[in-house]
Amino acid sequence: MIILVLGSSYGGPWDLNPGKEALKHTHHSEGDVKGDGFVMVYQNINTNNLSTVEYMHGSGSFDMADIIDSQQKTGHGGSYYYQTLGDKKIVPEWKQQWTGANSVIKLTRQSDMTQSPMTFAYGTGWYASHPITYNSLLKDRTVAKNYQEGSMMLHQLEYARGFVGDMAVELNCTGPTETKDGYGLASMKLEDKVIQGTVHIAELLTNPQQLKYETKTKKYVPTISSKVLGVKGALIEMDENYIGNFDIQRNMKLEVTKSRAVTMEDWLPCCMGGFFDVPDYSKANKGQIGIFDCTCRNTSISTFKPAWNGTIAQFPTGKYQYVP
């Protein structure tokens, strides 16, 4: 399933992930585990505007391998100013736009687990003569979140006797700059084989801006961001549950374009130093070029009736000679 969403930039000083500061870093972790016994794993990878949390436990036989890469490319601190016409404004005003922090997270994992009771005698004293039995069904939960876009993807396995699965998670949050749009990505690819268990798969994209109707003005006005309110007014909400023995394949991908703030320009900018001081983007306007190369004048003269002689001044004396 491929989903493409075009939206605006939501980057801000804190990226709506309270308590998590943007600290520039690069992280890499890989593991390969095989054995029999009891396993409990907790991994929380957080880059301030992205996070991936993985938790699993169970007893039995395990063969697992994973690779995790994450990078906080930039912190906050970045912003630029653009000029725009505000509400009921005649003169353009300057506004500040945050670029936000930029980061990526990638997680790849393979799992082959078979649940069974495990009894161990370990330690000294009483524990050496009184073995402990672990009889835990398999549980595995992975949650990927993109805080700037307000998106989430979830895969959860519970109460399973056996599980074989592959998973690939990729998160990307690149804030917009003064010259380039930003980009947001949340992707989760799954291939599961579950034996006597429960699988829960979910995807959520919250509405970046809630609207409420004002009776006085008879207009819809923005309210607080729905990323704070939770799932109210969600744009995408998927919830899947499978109980029993299943083979499952699921490919989820969410892309968001975060548009940069573009400065509003006058139709005819001031050129104190002449035409060559006019910005290049304004020179592309044919109407402005025509003023400087006399195209507008020649076009206007050609439409006069009766014909107008553009090479001489149109005065009674007829003595003024015009040289273009």
Side-chain angles (χ1 to χ4, degrees):
M1 178 175 296
I2 304 296
I3 302 172
L4 176 63
V5 178
L6 299 178
S8 59
S9 167
Y10 312 128
W14 312 113
D15 292 321
L16 296 172
N17 188 1
K20 302 295 182 180
E21 300 299 328
L23 176 65
K24 292 178 62 176
H25 69 276
T26 300
H27 170 253
H28 174 80
S29 174
E30 58 182 288
D32 194 344
V33 178
K34 185 176 182 179
D36 302 321
F38 176 78
V39 174
M40 194 286 291
V41 176
Y42 175 76
Q43 300 181 109
N44 182 2
I45 311 300
N46 198 305
T47 63
N48 170 263
N49 45 8
L50 304 172
S51 73
T52 299
V53 179
E54 181 183 3
Y55 172 75
M56 66 88 58
H57 69 75
S59 62
S61 299
F62 298 87
D63 188 356
M64 303 177 297
D66 66 352
I67 300 176
I68 301 175
D69 286 292
S70 67
Q71 181 180 8
Q72 183 77 57
K73 297 179 181 180
T74 63
H76 298 297
S79 65
Y80 62 93
Y81 289 87
Y82 67 100
Q83 199 174 19
T84 182
L85 284 176
D87 185 28
K88 298 181 180 179
K89 298 288 185 179
I90 299 177
V91 179
E93 59 181 347
W94 289 97
K95 290 186 177 181
Q96 185 179 23
Q97 173 68 41
W98 291 93
T99 58
N102 301 321
S103 62
V104 294
I105 297 179
K106 293 182 180 181
L107 165 66
T108 303
R109 193 189 68 201
Q110 293 180 322
S111 304
D112 188 346
M113 304 181 290
T114 303
Q115 191 275 337
S116 63
M118 290 289 170
T119 302
F120 302 97
Y122 60 90
T124 59
W126 190 88
Y127 292 100
S129 58
H130 295 79
I132 297 177
T133 299
Y134 292 90
N135 188 11
S136 174
L137 295 174
L138 302 175
K139 177 181 177 67
D140 184 279
R141 176 183 172 91
T142 303
V143 183
K145 296 181 180 180
N146 190 322
Y147 293 93
Q148 269 196 19
E149 282 72 54
S151 64
M152 180 273 294
M153 293 181 178
L154 167 70
H155 174 264
Q156 181 168 299
L157 169 74
E158 288 188 296
Y159 315 117
R161 298 286 182 178
F163 178 74
V164 179
D166 294 333
M167 173 185 293
V169 175
E170 183 175 359
L171 299 172
N172 187 317
C173 186
T174 302
T177 65
E178 188 173 2
T179 59
K180 188 176 181 180
D181 291 340
Y183 175 69
L185 169 68
S187 173
M188 179 178 286
K189 298 180 180 180
L190 305 168
E191 186 169 351
D192 295 348
K193 182 178 179 63
V194 59
I195 300 173
Q196 298 182 29
T198 298
V199 175
H200 175 55
I201 301 172
E203 180 179 0
L204 176 70
L205 175 65
T206 62
N207 192 343
Q209 192 174 67
Q210 292 274 321
L211 298 177
K212 67 178 181 180
Y213 184 77
E214 283 190 344
T215 306
K216 183 177 181 180
T217 62
K218 297 183 179 181
K219 294 181 180 180
Y220 285 93
V221 296
T223 63
I224 190 171
S225 168
S226 65
K227 293 191 286 294
V228 178
L229 296 174
V231 299
K232 295 182 179 179
L235 297 178
I236 298 175
E237 188 174 4
M238 298 173 56
D239 192 349
E240 303 178 32
N241 294 276
Y242 305 94
I243 302 174
N245 303 318
F246 288 94
D247 292 325
I248 302 172
Q249 289 185 335
R250 172 65 68 192
N251 181 4
M252 299 181 290
K253 186 176 183 180
L254 171 65
E255 293 179 287
V256 176
T257 298
K258 297 175 284 184
S259 302
R260 69 188 189 277
V262 181
T263 296
M264 186 209 73
E265 298 291 347
D266 294 333
W267 73 275
L268 183 60
C270 180
C271 50
M272 300 299 294
F275 180 63
F276 293 103
D277 286 344
V278 175
D280 291 338
Y281 54 77
S282 291
K283 291 179 182 178
N285 189 314
K286 294 181 180 179
Q288 295 166 16
I289 296 176
I291 293 175
F292 290 91
D293 66 5
C294 296
T295 302
C296 294
R297 174 183 179 278
N298 295 335
T299 302
S300 298
I301 290 175
S302 65
T303 62
F304 286 153
K305 301 296 181 180
W308 183 290
N309 186 353
T311 61
I312 61 174
Q314 303 297 308
F315 297 105
T317 60
K319 296 180 180 180
Y320 179 82
Q321 183 73 22
Y322 172 76
V323 179

